[in-house]
Amino acid sequence: MKPESLMMSYGYKPSLSEGAIKCPIFQTSTFVFNTALEGKRFFEVAYGLREKDQDEEMGLIYSRLNNPDLEILEDRLCLWDGAEECAVFESGMSAISTAMMEFMKPGDLLLYSKPVYGGTDHFINHFLKKLQISSVGFRADETKEEIIKKIEEKGLGHKLSMIHIETPANPTNAIIDIEMCAEIKKHFETIENPIVFSVDNTYMGPVWQHPLKHGADLVLYSATKYIGGHSDVIAGACLGSKELMGRVKGLRTFLGNMAGPWTGWLLMRSLETLKVRMDQQAKNAKHVAEFLNAHPLVESVYYLGNAAVNGTEKERELIAKQYKSYGAMIAFDIKGGEKEAFCFLDNLKLIKLAVSLGGTESLAEHPQTMTHADVDSEDKVAMNITEKLIRLSIGVENYDDLISDLKSAFDQINH
Ligand SMILES: *Cc1c(COP(=O)(O)O)cnc(C)c1O
């Protein structure tokens, strides 16, 4: 069955919860063992002292280690990405920072795509730097050979321990070839120096892009965005093989940054409508993009649906290979500069002026002065993050209403 058919019931047994059709919120810190021997056996597995027997389920011990709301949610999230295991976190940043801390150590090198999410960028360039973990960034327009040369020129190839990318890149939907990054990993990897390749898949959510199928080792999410989808919860997730996830979950246990049962319950509720929400958002985005493409006050529109038609051969090939949809994120250049952009943003009514993305309500923001204020100016120019750029996250509203709202905001410019 398809994941959307399984989101209502997968992994949950009503008979264990008084027949409740929905998984209750297990608002409990600890779990009672039936016998001391049972407790001993649960701990043996939890601390890796022995392997689980076949058919043996991991016993519930303490909510920092496991909790039904988290475990069922994690099993359901695995279905979308075809992952073996998942760990849910209290935020997207905690998923990203925990994975990076687990797979890198002082002296190591990180290769990452630019620009990445502002919080990730800060973590890489401040916290990791403090731990003597250095980094090399690359943009979507750089080739495999150029990227490899950058690392080899620094003489740090043998120190490369992690590759981390975001695609399509926020805010202009620049596309990075996931398989190319897997080849860069192969180029540098040795038995003594394994490399972990992670993809922050927040921008496409678990429905529209599946990085594990293109050679990534880990998929990371801010579940705050499409997965949560209602702008009412902060959460994150990391998915991958049993082996890698064992390590991520190990560090999560000791950092204590797992999501709580209430967050787990909210995300399970959200997952039931993930596919229908995202389908509608993508459909709305297509109509909005068509409107923007034709509007006289719009200079350029950055949308995968446009790149799929007018993009370079490489872009068109990557879109066909990596994406199941053109997504619901659109950026565009308005004619003029900051004054016109702000006038437009201040006159939207239905579409809210806020950062974040992927929720049921449409949002608009100004990357240059908001989400991407911290990006260095050379990268800003290269990525078309200028004062005339506006980013839209399209929600589930009626698309005619969204278009009317955009239209009346445009009408206020120069009035
Ligand atoms: C929002 C976001 C994050 C951070 O997630 P939080 O849930 O806010 O911690 C990471 N990556 C991307 C691409 C995001 O959009």
Side-chain angles (χ1 to χ4, degrees), residues 91-93 96 117 120 166 200 202 222 224-225 234-235 357:
S91 69
M93 276 317 302
I96 294 164
Y117 179 71
T120 307
E166 281 177 29
D200 181 334
T202 302
S222 168
T224 309
K225 313 294 166 56
I234 299 275
L357 59 101

Side-chain angles (χ1 to χ4, degrees), residues 159-170:
K159 292 291 188 186
L160 183 65
S161 59
M162 202 160 172
I163 301 174
H164 177 82
I165 66 161
E166 281 177 29
T167 180
N170 182 3

Side-chain angles (χ1 to χ4, degrees), residues 19 31 94 157 186 213 261 279 283 333 340 342 391 398 413:
F31 297 85
S94 56
K186 258 202 208 113
K213 300 196 166 82
D279 281 348
K283 187 175 158 194
D333 289 329
E340 287 74 16
F342 279 17
R391 187 188 79 177
N398 180 289
I413 297 173

Side-chain angles (χ1 to χ4, degrees), residues 122-309:
H122 191 92
F123 187 77
I124 292 170
N125 289 300
H126 295 269
F127 185 78
L128 291 182
K129 200 164 264 174
K130 211 171 65 184
L131 298 187
Q132 268 89 50
I133 296 168
S134 56
S135 59
V136 167
F138 69 97
R139 287 190 306 261
D141 58 1
E142 294 180 59
T143 65
K144 182 170 101 181
E145 289 69 30
E146 286 168 337
I147 299 166
I148 289 176
K149 196 165 147 225
K150 251 185 182 174
I151 295 172
E152 285 179 341
E153 274 174 355
K154 288 197 163 205
L156 286 172
H158 62 296
K159 292 291 188 186
L160 183 65
S161 59
M162 202 160 172
I163 301 174
H164 177 82
I165 66 161
E166 281 177 29
T167 180
N170 182 3
T172 53
N173 284 316
I175 306 158
I176 293 168
D177 186 344
I178 300 175
E179 284 171 10
M180 174 196 80
C181 296
E183 285 164 18
I184 295 174
K185 167 185 149 143
K186 258 202 208 113
H187 179 90
F188 288 106
E189 192 166 54
T190 59
I191 295 175
E192 304 83 61
N193 284 308
I195 297 169
V196 172
F197 169 28
S198 59
V199 177
D200 181 334
N201 198 31
T202 302
Y203 227 58
M204 289 309 258
V207 175
W208 296 328
Q209 175 172 257
H210 300 116
L212 297 179
K213 300 196 166 82
H214 300 284
D217 300 308
L218 294 176
V219 186
L220 293 156
Y221 289 106
S222 168
T224 309
K225 313 294 166 56
Y226 286 104
I227 295 174
H230 296 71
S231 308
D232 56 6
V233 63
I234 299 275
C238 178
L239 299 100
S241 68
K242 260 200 172 65
E243 189 198 337
L244 295 180
M245 290 310 300
R247 289 182 55 182
V248 171
K249 281 186 170 173
L251 185 57
R252 184 184 68 169
T253 294
F254 300 108
L255 293 176
N257 53 1
M258 71 296 155
W262 171 228
T263 296
W265 186 89
L266 275 173
L267 292 181
M268 275 196 274
R269 186 175 173 140
S270 289
L271 280 182
E272 298 190 11
T273 55
L274 181 71
K275 178 79 167 38
V276 284
R277 279 188 279 114
M278 291 182 75
D279 281 348
Q280 188 61 45
Q281 285 172 269
K283 187 175 158 194
N284 287 353
K286 193 162 174 283
H287 289 279
V288 168
E290 275 163 18
F291 165 78
L292 292 171
N293 285 339
H295 199 283
L297 291 182
V298 173
E299 271 178 12
S300 340
V301 178
Y302 308 93
Y303 168 61
L304 288 187
N306 284 16
V309 180

